[in-house]
Amino acid sequence: MILTLTPNPSHDRTVALGGVLERGAVMRVESVTSQAGGKGVNISRASVSAGIPSIAVLPADPDDPFVHELLSAGIDCRPVPTSGTLRVNLTISEPDGTTTKLNSPGPTVDGDVLTALTESLRRRAGDADWVVLAGSLPPGAPVGWYAELVSALRGTGGRIAVDTSDAPLKALVDGLDVGAPHLMKPNGEELASLTGSRAAGDALEADPVAAAHAARTLVARGVETVLATLGPHGAVLVNADGAWHATPPPTTVVSTVGAGDSSLFGYLLGDLRRQDPAHRLALAVAYGSAAAGLPGTTIPQPHQVRPELVSVRALDLTPGG
């Protein structure tokens, strides 16, 4: 079972344009879609689609249409009551796959909501193979809350994966010596900023060996596995036993929104299937590529995922290797 936390859920709306976005212009819209979303929610969607039970924990009124949408999709949603209206995230998608995201901050949470979310996770973490903490933090949550959660959940039995960004990610890394998650999933830009790599994010994405070296610094600080997504250059996987790079199959990119979430789920699915690291990485990249080829935040179905088309190679990180 995969237990997910989405502390700042959102109604994800995607506007597909018929041409290139022009500031200040009147644009024609091809379609508008809306879906209950957020990183943890997306992983729960992928999990249920693949036949893996999942529980989604999030702050929301139990009668919110957001919650009913998840329940009708077969996702075991456990909302923690909170005040305020869930945020709306708007994605503008151009025909060549370029996406522009406009994310609102979300409603403010107080200490009682954070405590209730923590206890909800504690009660269920012992029955979970993975506990996934994913997405941004809502206003009112301290930037170090993910780091606190990792420490609080480390002894519950379930392995912990974290996928976040900006200040919460930095706070998590600053606290690795106290409590490190089992899995982290940064992208190239985040990896460069976290590890002090001399390469900028774009350069790191284009150099899998440099990305793997950067990821290894997090492993050295206690993170069991680092899955670093590198955009069109695939992903690298680094643990104490080695490093691997996977190249995605040719993909016509429609929308990159949700591709990282799908990649993370692909890795978790490979782990639950007891696959070796190379096959886990192949499945992660296959899921991410499939998501990039779908509109909006559409999560790929298992039959749309082609890990056999992903090329994986081991990386030699020894000096001069």
Side-chain angles (χ1 to χ4, degrees):
M1 190 268 281
I2 296 177
L3 175 65
T4 67
L5 170 68
T6 306
N8 202 11
S10 62
H11 294 281
D12 289 346
R13 292 180 184 160
T14 301
V15 176
L17 299 180
V20 177
L21 175 65
E22 298 179 37
R23 291 183 62 196
V26 176
M27 305 293 300
R28 293 192 178 276
V29 173
E30 296 289 322
S31 65
V32 178
T33 59
S34 183
Q35 180 175 327
K39 283 185 172 295
V41 166
N42 291 341
I43 290 168
S44 286
R45 282 189 187 276
S47 184
V48 169
S49 177
I52 305 296
S54 181
I55 297 175
V57 174
L58 49 88
D61 187 297
D63 290 327
D64 193 296
F66 185 101
V67 174
H68 292 297
E69 180 182 331
L70 296 185
L71 293 173
S72 67
I75 298 170
D76 186 354
C77 182
R78 302 300 176 97
V80 167
T82 187
S83 59
T85 303
L86 296 186
R87 63 183 180 147
V88 174
N89 287 348
L90 180 64
T91 297
I92 303 173
S93 177
E94 300 174 50
D96 67 351
T98 300
T99 55
T100 302
K101 293 204 68 178
L102 305 174
N103 290 351
S104 55
T108 300
V109 298
D110 58 24
D112 290 340
V113 172
L114 296 178
T115 298
L117 289 169
T118 301
E119 290 308 309
S120 182
L121 291 172
R122 280 181 183 272
R123 289 196 302 271
R124 299 173 174 92
D127 296 323
D129 295 279
W130 282 97
V131 181
V132 181
L133 315 177
S136 64
L137 295 179
V143 294
W145 191 53
Y146 275 145
E148 295 173 10
L149 278 177
V150 170
S151 296
L153 297 172
R154 282 285 297 196
T156 57
R159 287 170 292 168
I160 304 167
V162 182
D163 182 9
T164 189
S165 59
D166 301 325
L169 179 58
K170 183 180 184 303
L172 177 69
V173 172
D174 288 344
L176 287 181
D177 298 333
V178 177
H182 298 84
L183 174 66
M184 289 182 62
K185 195 215 72 62
N187 60 30
E189 182 179 349
E190 292 161 350
L191 188 61
S193 66
L194 289 174
T195 61
S197 171
R198 288 177 291 181
D202 289 344
L204 201 66
E205 282 193 352
D207 187 344
V209 173
H213 274 292
R216 192 166 66 170
T217 65
L218 298 176
V219 174
R221 293 189 57 193
V223 181
E224 188 177 281
T225 302
V226 176
L227 171 65
T229 51
L230 306 177
H233 303 286
V236 294
L237 182 69
V238 181
N239 60 27
D241 297 323
W244 299 263
H245 172 236
T247 304
T251 304
T252 299
V253 176
V254 177
S255 172
T256 58
V257 180
D261 307 332
S262 295
S263 294
L264 176 53
F265 172 72
Y267 176 87
L268 300 179
L269 180 61
D271 176 81
L272 294 176
R273 290 176 174 173
R274 305 280 194 264
Q275 292 180 332
D276 61 35
H279 284 88
R280 279 179 257 160
L281 178 59
L283 196 54
V285 170
Y287 256 93
S289 297
L294 297 172
T297 56
T298 306
I299 302 301
Q301 300 290 316
H303 71 272
Q304 297 171 306
V305 179
R306 302 291 301 278
E308 71 276 9
L309 299 181
V310 177
S311 176
V312 181
R313 64 186 176 102
L315 299 176
D316 183 358
L317 300 188
T318 59

